[in-house]
Amino acid sequence: MFRSEYADVPPVELPIHDVVLGPAAGYGDHPALIDGADGTTLTYEQVDRFHRRIAAALADAGVRKGDVLALHSPNTIAFPTAFYAATRAGASVTTVHPLATPRSSPSSSPTAPPAGSSPSHRCSGPPAAPPNSRAAYGRYLSATARPGTAR
């Protein structure tokens, strides 16, 4: 068994979205996420607002505490937004490698629960786009950032 030379970290009793985004209001317009490929930046306020809106949409779609969402997303700034939205909606999140195929996804695994035995939803974040396209995410951000539409 491996033991770190560093002191144990006590478990956090709050949901991960509250731990990470709870202090977001204090950071407001400071950058929270920066896409290393194209420089797209989301502020703490935007991440907080976007994840709450997506969480509300997931809840409207029927996602509830105890559900598990498979997050199939490349490593972009959309990933943490979708992840925190899912946890705020009450779901647990399992990640799926971005290159995974339907045949290799958790739902096709022999150890996956039988269909209908437990609620399960898939959340893939922003609209699908070609592998190296950032345009779809930009359109997604624009659509979710319209004034007067925040939940």
Side-chain angles (χ1 to χ4, degrees), residues 27-46:
Y27 295 102
D29 288 336
H30 292 282
L33 300 170
I34 302 171
D35 189 313
D38 68 4
T40 300
T41 301
L42 292 179
T43 66
Y44 282 92
E45 185 278 327
Q46 288 174 313

Side-chain angles (χ1 to χ4, degrees), residues 60-145:
D60 288 347
V63 174
R64 300 286 179 261
K65 185 173 183 168
D67 289 352
V68 177
L69 275 77
L71 183 55
H72 182 242
S73 172
N75 190 11
T76 70
I77 60 177
F79 183 93
T81 308
F83 179 88
Y84 295 131
T87 62
R88 179 165 294 280
S92 294
V93 178
T94 185
T95 57
V96 179
H97 192 282
L99 299 178
T101 64
R103 177 172 262 216
S104 66
S105 73
S107 64
S108 65
S109 164
T111 59
S117 65
S118 122
S120 179
H121 303 275
R122 289 183 182 252
C123 173
S124 60
N132 293 318
S133 171
R134 306 283 182 205
Y137 188 61
R139 288 191 300 276
Y140 166 76
L141 289 179
S142 297
T144 58

